[in-house]
Amino acid sequence: MKDIYQSFIGIEVHVQLNTKSKMFTKIPYKYNSPVNTLIDPYVLGLPGSLPVINYDAILKAVKVGLLFKSNINTSFSWDRKNYFYPDLPKGYQISQNYSKICTGGFVKIELPLKNNNYIYKKINLHSIHLEEDVGKIIHQNEDSLIDLNRAGVTLLEIISKPEIKNAEEAFYFLKSLRNHLLCIGVSNCDLEKGEMRFDVNISLSKNKNQLGTKVEIKNLNSVFYVKESINYEINRQKKILLNNGSINQETLRWDEKNMITVPMRKKESSIDYRYFPDPDLPIINISKKMISDIKKQIPILPFDKKKILIKKYNLSNEISSLLSIDNELYKFFEETVQIYNNPIMIANFIINDIRKTLLLNNLKNNILPQNLAKIIKMVDEGLIYKQIAKQIILDILLKNLDSDNIINHYLSKNNINILKIKNICLEVVESNISIVDTIKSGKKNAINFLVGKVIKSLNYNVDANIIKKILEEII
Amino acid sequence: MKNIFFKSILELSKLLSKKYISSYELTKIYINRAKLIEKNLNSFISLNEDYSLHLAKESDYRRSIDKTLGKLDGIPISLKDNICELNQTLTCGSKMLKDYKSIYDATVTKKLKNNGMVLLGRTNMDEFAMGSSTERSYFGSTSNPWNFKYTAGGSSGGSAAAVAAGITPLSLGSDTGGSIRQPASHCGIVGLKPTYGLISRYGLTAFASSLDHIGPLSHTVKDSALILQLIAGYDNKDSTSLKVKIPNYIKSIEKNKKNNKKWTFGVMNQSYDKIVNHEVQSFILKAIDFYKNKGHKMTNINIKYGELAPPIYYILSSGEASSNLSRYDGVRYTYRPKNINKNLISKTREEGFGEEVKRRILLGTYILGIENYNSFYIKAQKIRTLIKNNFEEIFKKVDFLISPTVSNTAFLKNTKIDNPLSMYLEDVFTIFCNLTGYPGISLPCGFSKEGLPIGFQIIGKPFKEDDLLSFANEFEEAHNYYNIHPNL
């Protein structure tokens, strides 16, 4: 049965930018700092305190705008969003309402199809603007505790148009958005640290030219909850509409325990923020030169990188996806391939061994391209097994020892083994002269018989190709 | 020989450097005089005697080893209680902040300290600078030193009264709609509101950010020049402060005097007869004649949209104030009602704010509301721009504008308090400077039959305080008002 109701979903993404200090004051920000230590008169909202613009935030915001091909407004200002809440020290948040730093733009998303193929779609953006974050309230029994460490942190708000069709598209939208932001290094996008938060708005309609009543789900802090809440809400609204009911325009929150959307209190959802231009801050003008300088800093985008990886290096879709979203590993990959041309094996090692280890242990990559190239070349030439190569890599990453030392250590261990194998091969050759003659006369496959004999004599597994190679040398 | 406590800081500075008196002795004189007079005057909210004397001793020590920090090292100065001073009160005349102590210095305060000035105490004011009589202070009103039955004006009434009464030689106040100039006029002293952006607002409790200014109240024009020299200048902590070259104001005054500089001035034609008291008018006309006779050229000027200035001032200032005062919510550092377990924010504001503050917050909240924003706030901003543009046109033809500072002399206590609108009309001449940002100075030019001071206002070009002070100084030196003091 065809679905008569289409969903129109838009997402507002709040991203904490990794500026050294907060948006309007010089205080730094670090997640999980002791409570109320990242504060100053401005953060506390003390009388007489004034905002001072963090210009790095502006540069980063422009970078994001250029990344998503938005229109950068060369002149913009700041507006106060007024409301009362204990985690909002000044009783207003400095944001942008009447003139935002970027308008328009789009996020390209990659949707997987059933036959292992992909299609690309654009989700258009409404705008991108800067604002300051609010503090945190923790409710403990009868008390409400306030931590202002997060108050004033640089926040970038990216607002999409309601062009997302379902939970799955939402997932890929957020995934792509995150990968693009990581690519230009403006945020670590760590959801567990609250560096990205989402508000979702949904409306259903039979006709795309006439949108239905919009409902907003606020403060989602995981992609999983975004998906779940969208699915729940679409079902809820469909039921109402199919029964000829109507949707109330309301603000909801996601109840994580019961997995349902719940209306927020009336007061919270119908606030007039009384926006007006902040008289403490000047209008900012950005020059065309500044914009073009920032544009030069934008690296190759994830999807384009992925295309290169697939076309030029013949890598698989999965490996390419993973390699395309990490600038450093991508660079590492290319540099290693320049030295030794086995892209597929290099990529596999980088993704399956190096990347995994780095993520699990929160490390930085300390392997040099020339060393990785050396290791892979040795595997190719049969000097060491793949397993040994993996162990070498682990050792270099975790024990931070000199690469050459580790390689030599394993090589020598291997060489002893190789010596042993060589001896056994010699023995086998000497005790099977007739077979050797057969091989020499042209029946190359007979070598496999010798290989088998060698393997029998050995009491551990060795790559048959290595044995073959050694035998061929002898013969 | 004038009593020492009425001397200008220029004179005091000479006495200190010649070692005729120590800073400690001088400070003690003011403190003792305050102890005598304050019960009638109520110009100070707090006086920290030990702290002031300590600063004075440090100054004397520096002088003894010939390492003074400047011309004004050792001179006492008081600050209006809305300008941050580390570890001192910042009541802003309000119950909301009655127990609050600043944890940082305002930029201007730092500059005073860096020059070795002796901080003498915190002066009384209308609550959160909203008012024209200091009757809106939680700590009681300040009396006019010329006649205790009258108000000292406001909102910097404490500062003006303290200077006029000789219990501080100099004070810094704030001016959002005339709050330095109007009380200066009512108390017979000099009050200067400099150009917007010349003096950093960092550490000034915000009332209406685009209209707020810090400025000096003093006995003489040259005293204003001396202190302006100290506190003017760009501050990166205040994004509205401007990078301009600061001239040497005293040198400019002397140079213009020597060169017998002649200027052109305009006279404000704003419905004079209807609103200005006859006595006041006669002294203003005398001042105008003085300048004409001295060879300065006079023209009549009509300020376009002048009659719209008061309403747009109240729209814009209330709108900004309603937002600036939102931070006083009982959560972090303000007054907080006892035994409260719900509605913290609304109960705190209900109990912590006085009537006039509530009135302005309500008005401002209404104005910024989404249904009204365009019809009030945006319209008022547009008119403000028109007035600014008109001022630019006017000041192409003139160097100064002259007007009364206030249309009347000081009024009796409790006569305007129940009539907010009549209180608002105290500002009609002063608000132009706040709406446009142009500098304005008030200086005494006469006395009413009742012996109450009359002041006149001179408005100058932006960042041309050197010319403004020169022009004002010419009048002051030719008259003796700076030597006339209340009989206290």
Side-chain angles (χ1 to χ4, degrees):
Chain A
M1 185 181 74
K2 197 171 173 213
D3 215 342
I4 51 166
Y5 283 105
Q6 295 175 55
S7 309
F8 296 90
I9 302 164
I11 306 185
E12 289 178 19
V13 184
H14 295 83
V15 186
Q16 280 181 355
L17 297 184
N18 60 7
T19 52
K20 282 206 185 73
S21 49
K22 296 186 178 184
M23 180 68 224
F24 293 108
T25 184
K26 280 205 167 69
I27 294 287
Y29 177 68
K30 192 164 177 271
Y31 182 73
N32 250 353
S33 297
V35 294
N36 288 319
T37 48
L38 304 173
I39 58 174
D40 69 354
Y42 176 78
V43 175
L44 288 170
L46 294 186
S49 60
L50 292 172
V52 177
I53 294 173
N54 179 339
Y55 282 95
D56 188 34
I58 299 197
L59 297 177
K60 291 199 155 101
V62 170
K63 208 170 184 186
V64 175
L66 289 170
L67 177 70
F68 295 129
K69 307 262 187 325
S70 311
N71 174 46
I72 312 292
N73 291 320
T74 49
S75 184
F76 53 88
S77 59
W78 309 91
D79 301 304
R80 291 191 187 178
K81 181 178 181 181
N82 296 282
Y83 65 98
F84 290 101
Y85 211 67
D87 65 4
L88 188 65
K90 300 188 296 299
Y92 62 86
Q93 177 197 33
I94 300 182
S95 175
Q96 296 185 295
N97 184 49
Y98 298 115
S99 80
K100 304 194 178 188
I101 192 165
C102 309
T103 42
F106 59 86
V107 176
K108 197 165 160 186
I109 71 175
E110 181 187 77
L111 295 168
L113 297 173
K114 285 200 182 115
N115 51 356
N116 255 338
N117 259 333
Y118 289 80
I119 57 160
Y120 290 94
K121 182 180 169 182
K122 277 186 190 167
I123 302 288
N124 288 303
L125 298 176
H126 186 264
S127 60
I128 302 175
H129 73 262
L130 281 169
E131 57 184 27
E132 49 179 0
D133 210 342
V134 301
K136 270 203 196 135
I137 303 187
I138 304 156
H139 299 288
Q140 218 178 62
N141 307 322
E142 300 253 304
D143 296 327
S144 296
L145 308 172
I146 299 176
D147 176 14
L148 293 179
N149 280 347
R150 195 183 63 183
V153 168
T154 309
L155 221 53
L156 191 70
E157 188 169 337
I158 302 172
I159 303 178
S160 85
K161 290 195 175 166
E163 296 173 2
I164 296 171
K165 302 243 149 295
N166 51 46
E168 201 205 6
E169 277 195 9
F171 171 79
Y172 286 106
F173 169 75
L174 294 178
K175 183 175 176 200
S176 172
L177 181 76
R178 188 169 176 276
N179 287 338
H180 278 86
L181 292 174
L182 285 171
C183 168
I184 56 168
V186 295
S187 168
N188 295 329
C189 297
D190 190 336
L191 275 102
E192 284 188 15
K193 293 187 181 165
E195 292 176 5
M196 277 181 106
R197 279 129 54 195
F198 317 106
D199 294 340
V200 176
N201 55 74
I202 308 177
S203 68
L204 267 55
S205 163
K206 286 189 208 173
N207 164 19
K208 73 166 178 230
N209 292 318
Q210 196 184 16
L211 294 183
T213 309
K214 202 167 69 167
V215 133
E216 201 182 0
I217 311 170
K218 286 186 91 78
N219 280 330
L220 297 158
N221 56 15
S222 86
V223 182
F224 175 68
Y225 291 149
V226 168
K227 280 173 74 179
E228 292 297 304
S229 61
I230 288 175
N231 282 331
Y232 177 85
E233 199 41 34
I234 291 177
N235 275 329
R236 183 187 79 88
Q237 290 194 22
K238 265 192 197 156
K239 273 194 204 145
I240 295 175
L241 291 170
L242 287 171
N243 277 319
N244 282 321
S246 62
I247 307 293
N248 294 327
Q249 183 180 358
E250 50 190 355
T251 309
L252 310 169
R253 59 174 184 86
W254 178 246
D255 180 338
E256 295 166 19
K257 210 165 125 198
N258 300 311
M259 302 286 263
I260 56 171
T261 57
V262 174
M264 282 181 140
R265 291 180 310 160
K266 206 51 194 305
K267 249 199 302 192
E268 283 167 9
S269 57
S270 55
I271 297 176
D272 172 8
Y273 293 111
R274 294 174 278 126
Y275 286 101
F276 76 103
D278 193 321
D280 290 324
L281 293 168
I283 296 178
I284 306 287
N285 294 309
I286 324 183
S287 64
K288 288 214 167 90
K289 181 176 186 297
M290 189 196 275
I291 296 178
S292 67
D293 284 346
I294 297 174
K295 206 169 189 172
K296 290 181 194 148
Q297 297 171 17
I298 297 181
I300 312 175
L301 301 184
F303 290 135
D304 295 329
K305 263 196 205 123
K306 189 173 164 181
K307 253 193 222 145
I308 296 175
L309 291 168
I310 295 176
K311 278 215 166 102
K312 186 172 170 192
Y313 300 107
N314 238 327
L315 300 182
S316 75
N317 215 312
E318 199 197 321
I319 299 274
S320 301
S321 283
L322 292 170
L323 207 49
S324 67
I325 63 175
D326 186 325
N327 286 341
E328 283 183 25
L329 289 183
Y330 178 80
K331 193 165 160 230
F332 180 56
F333 165 78
E334 287 207 310
E335 287 176 358
T336 310
V337 169
Q338 292 272 39
I339 302 173
Y340 183 69
N341 192 15
N342 186 345
I344 293 182
M345 191 177 287
I346 292 173
N348 279 326
F349 269 94
I350 291 179
I351 293 298
N352 296 325
D353 300 285
I354 297 177
R355 178 174 174 270
K356 230 183 220 160
T357 310
L358 295 179
L359 283 175
L360 280 174
N361 298 286
N362 205 1
L363 294 167
K364 284 220 109 171
N365 181 23
N366 61 351
I367 305 180
L368 297 170
Q370 51 263 44
N371 289 333
L372 181 61
K374 192 174 178 186
I375 296 170
I376 298 206
K377 185 165 184 247
M378 288 201 288
V379 172
D380 266 349
E381 291 176 352
L383 290 173
I384 52 173
Y385 306 140
K386 247 196 195 147
Q387 300 308 116
I388 302 293
K390 286 173 187 279
Q391 191 58 49
I392 294 175
I393 286 174
L394 262 180
D395 275 3
I396 298 175
L397 290 174
L398 294 176
K399 295 179 187 169
N400 212 0
L401 301 167
D402 180 55
S403 321
D404 283 330
N405 280 340
I406 299 180
I407 292 173
N408 287 334
H409 166 77
Y410 279 98
L411 254 182
S412 64
K413 227 167 118 186
N414 228 23
N415 281 342
I416 298 173
N417 295 335
I418 298 275
L419 216 57
K420 210 175 177 194
I421 297 170
K422 269 204 178 133
N423 288 334
I424 296 184
C425 286
L426 272 170
E427 280 176 23
V428 165
V429 163
E430 271 156 28
S431 46
N432 288 283
I433 307 276
S434 53
I435 310 281
V436 174
D437 287 333
T438 317
I439 295 168
K440 278 193 178 160
S441 69
K443 287 218 173 117
K444 295 268 173 186
N445 285 336
I447 200 168
N448 291 331
F449 178 72
L450 295 178
V451 173
K453 278 247 151 148
V454 172
I455 289 180
K456 251 201 192 147
S457 312
L458 293 171
N459 42 16
Y460 50 83
N461 272 331
V462 180
D463 196 334
N465 289 324
I466 297 178
I467 299 174
K468 211 183 205 175
K469 230 181 166 175
I470 297 173
L471 287 168
E472 281 170 358
E473 271 177 27
I474 299 173
I475 301 171
Chain B
M1 173 64 179
K2 205 193 305 192
N3 279 317
I4 194 168
F5 40 78
F6 283 127
K7 283 192 188 294
S8 69
I9 61 173
L10 194 60
E11 293 171 297
L12 291 173
S13 166
K14 289 195 188 116
L15 292 176
L16 284 172
S17 71
K18 289 199 177 127
K19 302 202 179 155
Y20 287 164
I21 191 171
S22 70
S23 176
Y24 183 88
E25 288 166 314
L26 185 63
T27 306
K28 204 85 176 125
I29 286 173
Y30 287 111
I31 292 175
N32 288 339
R33 187 166 166 78
K35 285 181 181 163
L36 276 175
I37 299 178
E38 265 291 277
K39 55 182 177 293
N40 287 315
L41 207 60
N42 196 32
S43 64
F44 276 93
I45 286 182
S46 64
L47 269 163
N48 193 338
E49 182 171 343
D50 293 333
Y51 176 59
S52 306
L53 290 173
H54 167 75
L55 289 175
K57 274 199 204 136
E58 286 192 332
S59 171
D60 288 330
Y61 175 70
R62 285 191 295 270
R63 201 176 296 277
S64 74
I65 60 171
D66 219 1
K67 289 216 174 202
T68 51
L69 295 168
K71 249 193 268 190
L72 300 182
D73 196 326
I75 304 273
I77 183 168
S78 60
L79 301 180
K80 184 174 180 180
D81 208 17
N82 63 356
I83 299 173
C84 287
E85 187 186 332
L86 181 65
N87 293 331
Q88 303 301 320
T89 60
L90 190 79
T91 64
C92 300
S94 179
K95 180 179 177 183
M96 187 64 87
L97 293 175
K98 65 183 174 69
D99 298 317
Y100 177 84
K101 294 270 161 68
S102 296
I103 61 169
Y104 71 101
D105 278 322
T107 298
V108 296
T109 309
K110 258 216 183 83
K111 288 183 173 179
L112 300 177
K113 287 182 178 177
N114 288 342
N115 280 275
M117 295 193 82
V118 174
L119 294 162
L120 196 55
R122 317 282 307 163
T123 59
N124 200 10
M125 53 183 284
D126 282 295
E127 189 180 356
F128 284 108
M130 299 177 185
S132 306
S133 65
T134 315
E135 292 173 293
R136 294 288 182 190
S137 168
Y138 178 68
F139 303 93
S141 66
T142 298
S143 309
N144 193 312
W146 297 88
N147 186 328
F148 295 152
K149 290 205 206 97
Y150 290 78
T151 73
S155 59
S156 309
S159 285
V163 172
I167 54 180
T168 185
L170 187 64
S171 191
L172 287 186
S174 73
D175 188 315
T176 304
S179 290
I180 287 175
R181 292 159 289 153
Q182 182 254 31
S185 177
H186 284 330
C187 290
I189 57 168
V190 175
L192 169 69
K193 181 208 78 72
T195 313
Y196 187 82
L198 181 66
I199 298 183
S200 168
R201 285 186 300 117
Y202 181 72
L204 169 67
T205 305
F207 157 15
S209 319
S210 74
L211 300 157
D212 289 341
H213 301 69
I214 291 178
L217 294 98
S218 58
H219 289 299
T220 65
V221 171
K222 275 192 176 156
D223 280 1
S224 281
L226 279 172
I227 199 74
L228 189 65
Q229 200 74 54
L230 227 63
I231 59 176
Y234 172 70
D235 180 14
N236 62 9
K237 294 203 198 79
D238 174 359
S239 305
T240 60
S241 95
L242 292 166
K243 276 191 179 126
V244 283
K245 193 161 174 262
I246 312 290
N248 186 314
Y249 297 112
I250 294 283
K251 281 211 172 99
S252 301
I253 293 175
E254 277 157 10
K255 183 166 145 223
N256 284 319
K257 183 174 166 190
K258 185 163 163 225
N259 294 339
N260 211 3
K261 176 87 194 225
K262 297 295 168 226
W263 278 291
T264 305
F265 67 95
V267 174
M268 264 201 229
N269 246 347
Q270 307 307 115
S271 308
Y272 249 67
D273 298 330
K274 289 190 201 153
I275 52 175
V276 182
N277 158 322
H278 287 307
E279 272 188 295
V280 171
Q281 235 203 97
S282 71
F283 283 101
I284 306 299
L285 291 173
K286 278 206 187 115
I288 292 170
D289 281 334
F290 165 80
Y291 281 112
K292 268 163 61 186
N293 294 334
K294 281 288 183 150
H296 301 286
K297 197 158 161 262
M298 180 197 105
T299 73
N300 276 310
I301 294 286
N302 181 47
I303 297 182
K304 270 196 200 161
Y305 317 109
E307 67 289 357
L308 291 176
I312 66 161
Y313 168 77
Y314 278 96
I315 288 173
L316 295 172
S317 63
S318 303
E320 290 185 24
S322 71
S323 177
N324 283 327
L325 269 69
S326 293
R327 63 190 64 200
Y328 306 114
D329 55 10
V331 176
R332 295 166 309 289
Y333 54 80
T334 61
Y335 162 82
R336 189 194 271 203
K338 291 199 169 52
N339 300 323
I340 194 142
N341 54 13
K342 66 176 194 164
N343 297 327
L344 170 68
I345 297 179
S346 48
K347 283 233 164 75
T348 298
R349 293 166 70 83
E350 168 64 37
E351 294 182 23
F353 285 139
E355 190 184 274
E356 182 63 24
V357 169
K358 284 183 192 165
R359 179 177 290 120
R360 308 252 188 137
I361 292 175
L362 287 171
L363 184 61
T365 306
Y366 176 79
I367 283 165
L368 293 179
I370 197 159
E371 317 87 37
N372 305 313
Y373 179 69
N374 282 313
S375 5
F376 289 109
Y377 195 81
I378 293 287
K379 269 224 178 91
Q381 288 282 40
K382 287 182 178 166
I383 297 171
R384 182 178 186 176
T385 304
L386 292 174
I387 293 180
K388 260 193 204 160
N389 292 343
N390 184 238
F391 257 58
E392 271 179 53
E393 287 307 306
I394 292 173
F395 277 84
K396 281 188 186 144
K397 301 179 242 154
V398 304
D399 300 301
F400 308 107
L401 279 180
I402 290 185
S403 78
T405 305
V406 202
S407 32
N408 265 302
T409 53
F411 47 90
L412 284 163
K413 288 182 191 170
N414 284 320
T415 49
K416 287 191 199 268
I417 200 81
D418 293 320
N419 190 349
L421 284 180
S422 83
M423 189 75 87
Y424 296 170
L425 288 174
E426 284 281 298
D427 301 332
V428 283
F429 293 107
T430 47
I431 49 179
F432 290 109
C433 288
N434 302 81
L435 290 170
T436 59
Y438 281 50
I441 191 169
S442 174
L443 54 157
C445 66
F447 285 90
S448 72
K449 284 195 311 280
E450 292 111 345
L452 293 168
I454 294 170
F456 78 106
Q457 173 181 242
I458 310 171
I459 303 176
K461 289 183 183 168
F463 303 107
K464 292 304 285 164
E465 280 82 358
D466 49 352
D467 289 349
L468 179 64
L469 293 167
S470 303
F471 194 62
N473 184 65
E474 191 175 339
F475 181 89
E476 181 183 89
E477 281 192 348
H479 297 78
N480 200 30
Y481 294 112
Y482 60 93
N483 273 326
I484 304 175
H485 303 287
N487 229 344
L488 292 172

